Amino acid sequence: QVQLVESGGGLVQAGDSLRLSCGNSGRTASSDTMAWFRQAPGKEREFVAGISRNERTLYADSVKGRFAISRDNSKNMVYLQMNNLEPEDTAIYYCAAGPSGLSSARYFYNYWGHGTQVTVSS
């Protein structure tokens, strides 16, 4: 079983930075691919960034150049460094784990954390 716990969210101003963390306390074999999704009020959950076990990365166009995903396999951790935050980045951010590969599709990911709130004021 994979258990994901996110941390690092908060209230910041536009232009600020935040670093989200996600710890996996379960079976690492089921979490070859890790990703971050987000869901704003009244909107669908959307892909933000993903990283494979060998550290290939994939980003949504809306965050390219501002966000960076990374992972530390020795610690079973994945991170999302968010720079130059915008009010449009306000959402609950979810960590997700999936099998080998790299995908932006929600259905690809089998395990989800409970989310951490990020609020960006203008």
Side-chain angles (χ1 to χ4, degrees):
Q1 189 72 7
V2 173
Q3 294 177 316
L4 305 175
V5 179
E6 305 95 336
S7 62
L11 172 62
V12 297
Q13 294 185 332
D16 285 351
S17 298
L18 272 179
R19 188 194 195 206
L20 304 183
S21 300
C22 173
N24 173 12
S25 60
R27 294 180 59 227
T28 57
S30 300
S31 55
D32 273 357
T33 301
M34 300 295 295
W36 289 94
F37 284 73
R38 66 186 181 186
Q39 187 166 17
K43 294 188 177 181
E44 295 288 320
R45 191 173 299 189
E46 64 175 2
F47 174 81
V48 175
I51 185 167
S52 65
R53 183 163 290 278
N54 62 359
E55 301 189 26
R56 288 187 301 121
T57 58
L58 181 66
Y59 293 96
D61 288 343
S62 60
V63 306
K64 279 181 181 176
R66 299 189 299 123
F67 291 11
I69 189 171
S70 60
R71 66 190 295 168
D72 185 337
N73 292 330
S74 67
K75 297 180 180 179
N76 294 335
M77 295 290 295
V78 64
Y79 307 99
L80 185 68
Q81 178 66 43
M82 305 186 294
N83 298 324
N84 193 21
L85 282 160
E86 304 169 350
E88 293 74 21
D89 296 317
T90 295
I92 299 174
Y93 283 71
Y94 297 90
C95 179
S100 179
L102 190 57
S103 174
S104 62
R106 285 182 58 181
Y107 63 78
F108 180 82
Y109 297 90
N110 303 315
Y111 301 97
W112 295 83
H114 292 294
T116 184
Q117 176 71 47
V118 172
T119 303
V120 184
S121 64
S122 57

